[in-house]
Amino acid sequence: MTIPAYIFGENVPRPAIEFKLPEADERLSSTPQLAYCLELLKIHSSADKHLEPTVLKWLQQTEKDTDEQERLHTMATEVIRAFKRDEIKDAKVVAEVVSLVPILDKDAFQNLLREFYSGMDHCRLLDFYQLEGLAQLIQGAETGYLSSDDLVKILELLNNRLKDTHQQSTQHMHELTLAVSNVLDAMADTNVTDLKRETLHEPLSRYLGELEKSSDPYLVYQAAYAYQALQCVPDNETKWQAARRRTGKVAKGVSGLISATKGFDINKFIESLVEIQEGFEASKIVHKLNSAYKDVSQLVESGKGLLESLKEGFSFDCKREWYAALRAADVLIRDGEFATFKELVWKAPCRCDPAFQWGVCQRLGEVASNPLWDSHTRRDAIAFLAEMYKNDEAWKQQTSVKQWTLNILKQLSSTSGDGPQFHTEFAMMKLQELGANGDVKNRGLYKGCQETGIIYPLKVTLPQLGLSSLLDRVQNRPDVEGNIRLMRKQRTQGRGGAIYISPQAKLSLQSSDDSRFSLMEKVKEFLDSDQKVFLLLGDSGAGKSTFSRELEFHLWKSYKKSGRIPLYISLPAIDKPEHDMIAKQLRRANFSEAQIREMKLYREFILICDGYDESQQTHNLYMSNRLNQPGEWDAQMVISCRTEYLGTDYRERFQPGDRNHVSDPSLFQEAVVAPFSIDQIQSYIQQYVTLHRPPWQAEDYNQALEHIPTLKDLVTNPFLMTLSLEVLPRMVDPGQDISSAHITRVGLYDHFIEQWLERGKKRLGEKDLTPQARAAFESLTDEGFARNGIAFLKHFAEAIYKEQGGHPIVEYSRLMDGKSWKAEFFDHDSMKLLREACPLVRNGNQHRFIHRSLLEYGLARAVFDPQDRRKRITSNISVGRPESLGSKLSIETQDCFGQMADAIEQEPDIDSPLVWRTIVKDHSLLQFLAERAQQQPVFKQQLLAYIEHSKKDKKWRKAAANAITILVRAGVQFNSADLKGIQIPRADLSYGTFDSAQLRDADLRKVNLRGVWMRQTDLSRAQMTGARFGELPFLTEECQANSCAYSPDGKSFAVGLEDGNINVYATSNWERIGTLSGHTSYICSVSYSPKGNQIASAGRDRTIRLWDSKLGSLIYTLSGHDRLVSRVAYSPRGCQVASASGDRTVRLWDATTGDCVRTLHGHDRAVLGVAYSPKGLEIASCGVDLTIRLWNAMTGECIRILSGHTDWVQSVAYSPQGDQLASSSRDMNVRLWDVETGVCRHVLTGHSGDVNNIAYSPNGDQIASASMDSTVRVWEAETGICRQTLTGHTTGVADIVFALDGNQIATCSADKTVRLSDVSVEASRSAMSGHSSTVCCIKCSPEGDLVASCSVDQTIRLWDSKTGESRRILSGHSDSVFSIAFSPQGDWIVSGSADRSVRIWKVKTGTCFSTLTGHGDAVQGVAYSPHGDVVASAGDDMTVRLWDLSTGECQITLNGHTGGVRSVTYSPDGNRIASGSKDSTIRIWDAVTRECLQILVGHTNWVRDVVYSHQGHELASAGYDKIIRLWDVESGESRGTLTGHNDKVTFVTYSPQDDLIASGSWDKTVRLWDVATKQSRAEIGNLVGPVVGVAWNGDDDLVISGGNGSVLKWKVTQQGDCRVHLLWSATNGTLTMAGASVHGVHGLSAINKGLLKQRGAVGEPETLLRDASKKVVVMTSVVSKLKESSGTGTALPSIASTLSEQYGQIGKIDHPPRQYCWHCGAT
């Protein structure tokens, strides 16, 4: 039997609605009309001959009218924008926008999809209409519009909402489950195969399965349908996919029919369904079906009604073929293929499956209720339903389906609406027939269904679109394109003729030059992304504004109608840009309020906000302007700011956030404009010469760059490049030796201003001026036009700072400002002329300097003008005491201020900007003034006068703080200076030098003292409240510190040591409160449990020990590993401990019982690191096999293996969020991995040694890495940018950990220290100079003008021996540089390195001339022959090699030493060579015959250095045996020894007169010895780190280098006693307080007291009043407790315990009793 032929006898056309076609520019009536028009435009008029004549005519006309086409497309775009801005999004609005789906291009479709997704994601309550709209959007998507990522993302959202909505309203569940079904249908269509099984697939299956328990049968069916759809989103190819491929035209699977049903092969499809059925073991799917003729009363009484039988037919545990059949049915119905649909239903192998029949009935009911189908089709659908009900033979006796069918017909028969309702009457008739026919049981079922049946929930149909509110809004808007075209013209005209070099950028200031990228391309990528804010950083003059204008120009050139509007906003020109800045800028561009409202609602902007720093902003402009919030401006923002304007937490000022001000870093990006490269400089020069034809040619400029030492660095700044090219020809005199020219930044500005004023004068002279203006011009010219111009510039800049706080734009209106301070600069003829001649620009009534730096230059020149020689002479300089200056300033030190002794006395200028404005943080202004102080002794004198006058009058203290900040920035060193009583609060003395200075009674409150050198400085009674040192005290251990950990509450800190002990400290005062002893070998790892009640330790003794952290007692010793245990980690809940071992395993232990619960095997070599994920579901391990393994913590299964490191992987750490994994390796890199995908996101490079350990900050935004290169680097977790490099350790850093607040980092090292670093505050400026690592050798040039130093940092530095300024850095070696030597003429330098090479460098240019290779190990010593034609090198390969410099060949190799050769030197006459070796001997070689003449024996350890006296009669050697030995050159006999050093002697050198010997040692001292008496005459002590280099510079100066990277020059005075004082120092910023007196200092915190004491300061600072009162309270409390105890007769409590509770632990407890409590002292 088959379905009657009259039902769906033929296919019918797909339903369509026709609309009136509009004339050009005619108003449209509805959005569906718009969609209809655009759909027609997709059809070419010549492609379809079946169009009606009126449609064809309209299409042909519109194809010729591009403006009309653009109007229609624009309207569609604007309707979507109106929808996005609609806050309510009711049913009509959703239906209206969804009607556009068929005509959208992919970008518009994606945009609309994101809006629906975002709306549902951020809406607290589920929006049914948006949910239905999302479903229809997915159903209507064109091929390729939906990506796998889109669908997975939507499904994740729906899955989460399904969880939130679970067991709530069934209406919610209906809608959500239907939407899930639609998404899963689309996923099957697009072949999505990457559903996350654990996080998405399985949970969704579980939730859908739970809906089987629902009391709502429709929900049960929809959940079953969704479940089946989910099963058909495969992980790989299955029979399901194979069946889909064999259905011919069904190319995309079941939903291949979506593209077309024409040519559909029904028989092949049915065959595929049969195969699917067989593959799914259909025998297991057949369920019991209830008889349709059961008595209804029995059915109800048994409790097994419709719902129960329904559930039996719907499978929630395997795939079913009925889903595939229903998907095909959907497409056939959509296209009107009803005859094919009928055949499919009849022939389907699942025809009798109740779920299939349920779905067929649902679809027939929807066809019957859809008014778009013709009446015949709707009646056939109702007839089909009746046939399924009554024909038991064909459809079996399905109780659930019969009841379902009756409910559908009942629903259809009661449908109401406008117009004829033929289907309603027909449905009523069929119901009556079914009720009257059949036997008694059949009629009973009918009656029961009528009484107990449910209401069929017809599928939600969106409202008919009689009105189009969105379209009405679009069509009623004011026109803005005309004004936009005008603005585009204004902003793009006149752009030719300028030089523009496309800038490059870096991710951060610390990024290497190799990481540069095109800034324009990076910004384009940003604009094409979903990110919202791009921060552009750079120094003053780096080209930020130029780039911003170029970006605007580029965007305007590519602008298209209705596209995103580029809007350049000069932030200083906008009043209060933190509020409605877009509207304010548009008003300036003459847009009306109606137009502004229109653009706010419907247009998108690209904001180019320039000058955040100049506007002196602190607001987050994105947040304060509410960008991209509902109803607000839709915009992306590119915003520029000076780097120095921002602090450490600057991102909070720029990162976008939501309406609750929760920032989202993923929407933020930043870049730093990189300095010009050599290629960019050359390109700029060539363009400049071609365009401007200056007096110089390109070759002249290139020669200047090559030979003027400072110029090349200056012109890497684009603005300074422009200034340099303009003024260089006038700065260098014809015939002058160009290499002698000294070019500075302030010098460039001086000449630029003079030249600008000269041109302005010439221009005004040629101009047709009024008689009054002409007279004013001539008067100005007579007085000196340039001088008057400079005076105007100074006073104008000063007024801007004084009256406007430095805001750079001056708005002037004669009516409003005629009586204000502005009138002085605008109302007089002479002022107008000077203003016109100065480098100012005008825009309407706004005036500003052409560049911000010129304003700063103007203020700097107001502070001090080198051309102003007028001096106010006073007879009585009285500021508290008449004799304060006397004949000279008391702030006078050797060689620094002596030239001022006869200076004219004058009181400082009370009106100077230094008096009324703090400039300590104005870096650009400070640079101008610092350079001026370096060049002008008079200005230096004025600054010193401010400092001197501050001693007695506080009115000068702001000026004094500014003055000393300028002087420190200028490199002035206050060694031995009399600074007693100076008042300089808030000054910045960072990296300043104050050796032996007098600062007694000084006001140093809130002074920045980071990295300051205050060796032997007197700070007695100074006020130091709030002083900032940028460092914390370090802990000193008795042996190597290998591991460290903070307790979870941050109150205690554990350190694992080499001797097997664990020291525990209280972090309140960093006193040791206990030691855990038990391990028999050194500790590899320590860790606190999450609750802090346990400490786990792992050691080389192959055990793990668990300790009670409060009592200090041992709980368990865990044994089982048969190699050392390298790492231990607690699970997040603390119930489990993981250990990594050299036995290639990871073991998991029960922390409560000590049992081993699992062993993880997989690594094929030693395992070095282990870590738990934050949720404890995964474990990561790493090892010597170069891999990282991720394990399932529950099952022990290896989930993934990560590969990429090229050497041992030493540690792993999960981010606190668990999405990222960091690993460190001996390959010197850190890698950041995406946990979910296993992809390496970043490789962090920069360390020069093994990276031993890594740690995430508590909030996960930073990563710290500890390396064998003795440094710690702090990186951004998101970008991989290095933010800080921390130094201090003298050997490799073993472990690292963040404190609880993330502001401090603790590190431990083999140097026996634990260092605590403050990473919350960066230095206000970088260190002045100094190597970044240990200096290995130091030498002075023969002329004495240069000092050369070499370092482990792989560089050689050249210093000005007089000033200590860095002249050049020589880079090229690939490893540590151990030795250097000048050629006899001083024009060459030779260097030896651990990279086994010898390099020859040209001193004048710093270029490497040649590289000599041949040594088999590190080169430790080098020396020039006296004639300069041969170089000798000594190496750890136990040889000395002699190199012919004319050929670069090795002449001969001297063999004989049995240990590495550490030093080599020529005798003054060049006839002999001496070498010192690790074999403790010195060998003397004949320089001609190359024979070994003598072997000098006497040292008992390595010979580190050998040197001949200048006369050549004596040889001195320095040994690691702490002794200096003197030898007779002729006889080889010992002439004596110099003893006194307490550690290895590293270097030794004779003074020029051979009367003194200087030696440096690891005991941190330099000693001066009398050669004749062999006695020590002087000692330089309290130095920071070992002394590793000593050299004489002239007769009386001594240069030494330290292990901390410093270079210091000392003056040696031998009149009477031999005395030494510091001349200058170049350091790497290490805080030096050795020997400084802090007796009676006020305001030091306890931490800073400990820091200074540790750094070698002496004396007792004053105790803070609050500390003293605290002690009184504590003692009172103790006495009270004692009285209470004695009164009650109870045992007396421990006084130490009471003090510990209230004030801190007293004393040290090295080995507490087993039951001793470290927290309270109780036993």
Side-chain angles (χ1 to χ4, degrees), residues 382-450:
I382 294 172
F384 203 146
L385 282 167
E387 177 66 21
M388 291 183 68
Y389 179 87
K390 66 185 180 183
N391 194 339
D392 292 336
E393 184 178 350
W395 304 97
K396 306 302 179 186
Q397 301 172 3
Q398 308 281 10
T399 304
S400 61
V401 178
K402 287 181 180 292
Q403 190 170 2
W404 185 241
T405 304
L406 292 175
N407 282 313
I408 293 173
L409 291 171
K410 182 179 178 182
Q411 183 90 344
L412 292 171
S413 67
S414 61
T415 304
S416 62
D418 298 332
Q421 299 292 321
F422 302 116
H423 72 287
T424 302
E425 298 171 2
F426 190 67
M428 179 66 72
M429 181 186 71
K430 286 295 181 182
L431 269 176
Q432 293 171 354
E433 288 179 5
L434 296 177
N437 296 334
D439 55 19
V440 176
K441 290 184 177 182
N442 195 9
R443 290 195 298 274
L445 174 64
Y446 176 85
K447 183 178 179 182
C449 289
Q450 289 288 75

Side-chain angles (χ1 to χ4, degrees), residues 1518 1541 1544-1548 1558-1563 1565-1567 1587-1590:
H1541 283 295
K1544 308 168 189 173
V1545 185
T1546 54
F1547 277 89
V1548 63
S1559 61
S1561 168
W1562 273 64
D1563 64 8
T1565 69
V1566 172
R1567 286 177 177 261
V1587 179
V1588 291
V1590 182

Side-chain angles (χ1 to χ4, degrees), residues 1206-1251:
T1206 58
D1207 209 328
W1208 297 5
V1209 188
Q1210 310 219 96
S1211 67
V1212 286
Y1214 279 95
S1215 66
Q1217 295 76 24
D1219 58 338
Q1220 193 180 73
L1221 182 76
S1223 59
S1224 67
S1225 169
R1226 280 178 40 165
D1227 63 11
M1228 299 186 284
N1229 295 332
V1230 175
R1231 287 178 175 259
L1232 305 184
W1233 309 84
D1234 186 300
V1235 171
E1236 193 156 320
T1237 64
V1239 174
C1240 179
R1241 295 300 185 193
H1242 297 288
V1243 180
L1244 314 185
T1245 60
H1247 281 296
S1248 58
D1250 305 357
V1251 186

Side-chain angles (χ1 to χ4, degrees), residues 1329 1331 1339-1341 1345-1350 1355-1361 1363-1370 1380-1382 1386-1390 1401-1407 1607 1624 1626:
S1329 54
H1331 287 280
K1339 298 292 182 181
C1340 295
S1341 63
D1345 58 331
L1346 290 176
V1347 174
S1349 59
C1350 62
T1355 68
I1356 302 159
R1357 290 177 181 250
L1358 302 182
W1359 314 86
D1360 186 300
S1361 67
T1363 65
E1365 293 181 13
S1366 178
R1367 290 301 183 203
R1368 236 179 253 288
I1369 300 177
L1370 315 184
I1380 48 175
F1382 277 95
D1387 50 349
W1388 299 94
I1389 287 178
V1390 61
W1401 309 82
K1402 191 172 184 179
V1403 172
K1404 191 172 184 178
T1405 62
T1407 55
V1607 177
W1624 56 256

Side-chain angles (χ1 to χ4, degrees), residues 636-896:
Q636 282 180 291
M637 176 190 288
V638 178
I639 184 168
S640 67
C641 182
R642 287 195 196 187
T643 309
E644 63 265 23
Y645 181 74
L646 303 174
T648 54
D649 298 326
Y650 64 89
R651 289 181 184 81
E652 295 178 359
R653 300 194 198 179
F654 302 99
Q655 283 184 350
D658 58 21
R659 65 183 71 185
N660 297 318
H661 294 274
V662 178
S663 62
D664 186 350
S666 66
L667 301 178
F668 174 76
Q669 191 177 159
E670 65 180 305
V672 179
V673 180
F676 269 173
S677 66
I678 295 298
D679 291 340
Q680 288 176 308
I681 292 172
Q682 297 297 331
S683 177
Y684 195 104
I685 291 173
Q686 198 61 50
Q687 291 186 49
Y688 180 84
V689 170
T690 303
L691 185 64
H692 296 288
R693 301 188 179 279
W696 280 14
Q697 298 301 312
E699 295 77 12
D700 300 319
Y701 286 113
N702 288 326
Q703 186 180 7
L705 288 174
E706 182 67 27
H707 292 96
I708 299 177
T710 57
L711 186 59
K712 190 174 291 186
D713 290 334
L714 286 172
V715 299
T716 59
N717 180 288
F719 186 70
L720 294 181
M721 178 75 179
T722 304
L723 266 62
S724 299
L725 298 185
E726 190 159 335
V727 305
L728 268 174
R730 63 182 290 164
M731 291 184 72
V732 179
D733 296 329
Q736 177 185 356
D737 179 8
I738 201 167
S739 63
S740 65
H742 185 61
I743 307 296
T744 63
R745 179 171 179 257
V746 72
L748 287 175
Y749 278 78
D750 287 341
H751 283 82
F752 174 78
I753 291 297
E754 292 174 10
Q755 186 163 311
W756 186 284
L757 290 171
E758 287 177 6
R759 291 176 180 173
K761 173 186 173 183
K762 181 179 180 181
R763 186 175 62 252
L764 290 172
E766 296 171 351
K767 191 175 181 180
D768 186 14
L769 301 174
T770 65
Q772 296 88 341
R774 176 61 63 184
F777 175 73
E778 290 175 355
S779 175
L780 290 171
T781 303
D782 291 341
E783 296 172 1
F785 191 88
R787 189 180 68 179
N788 280 311
I790 291 172
F792 175 88
L793 180 144
K794 291 191 304 183
H795 296 315
F796 192 44
E798 187 173 2
I800 289 174
Y801 274 95
K802 195 166 190 176
E803 304 295 340
Q804 297 190 163
H807 186 79
I809 293 180
V810 179
E811 295 188 25
Y812 178 74
S813 166
R814 178 173 294 180
L815 181 63
M816 302 293 295
D817 302 307
K819 296 183 178 181
S820 71
W821 65 271
K822 303 175 188 177
E824 177 186 353
F825 302 98
F826 290 89
D827 276 355
H828 307 290
D829 287 334
S830 58
M831 293 296 103
K832 292 178 182 177
L833 293 171
L834 291 174
R835 191 177 68 248
E836 188 175 341
C838 279
L840 298 168
V841 63
R842 176 179 177 178
N843 183 10
N845 70 335
Q846 294 185 339
H847 304 260
R848 65 183 298 173
F849 284 91
I850 62 173
H851 195 268
R852 168 82 188 194
S853 62
L854 289 169
L855 171 62
E856 293 158 339
Y857 168 81
L859 185 65
R861 196 144 183 177
V863 172
F864 178 81
D865 189 344
Q867 294 183 357
D868 185 3
R869 299 301 183 186
R870 292 175 300 171
K871 298 179 175 62
R872 295 183 294 109
I873 304 176
T874 60
S875 59
N876 183 11
I877 305 173
S878 176
V879 186
R881 59 173 183 175
E883 71 282 2
S884 61
L885 289 180
S887 62
K888 61 179 180 178
L889 293 171
S890 64
I891 309 173
E892 181 183 330
T893 63
Q894 292 83 348
D895 295 339
C896 290

Side-chain angles (χ1 to χ4, degrees), residues 127-189:
D127 190 317
F128 294 140
Y129 304 120
Q130 288 200 54
L131 193 58
E132 175 65 14
L134 178 64
Q136 293 199 14
L137 195 66
I138 293 171
Q139 287 177 324
E142 292 287 339
T143 303
Y145 278 21
L146 280 169
S147 68
S148 299
D149 291 340
D150 292 331
L151 292 165
V152 171
K153 187 177 179 181
I154 293 169
L155 191 59
E156 287 177 340
L157 170 64
L158 295 175
N159 181 35
N160 292 332
R161 297 309 295 262
L162 193 63
K163 296 176 186 177
D164 298 339
T165 316
H166 190 47
Q167 296 182 345
Q168 297 181 21
S169 163
T170 55
Q171 186 181 10
H172 284 72
M173 303 306 298
H174 288 161
E175 298 299 329
L176 270 171
T177 311
L178 178 61
V180 169
S181 301
N182 288 329
V183 174
L184 290 169
D185 287 344
M187 294 179 87
D189 299 341

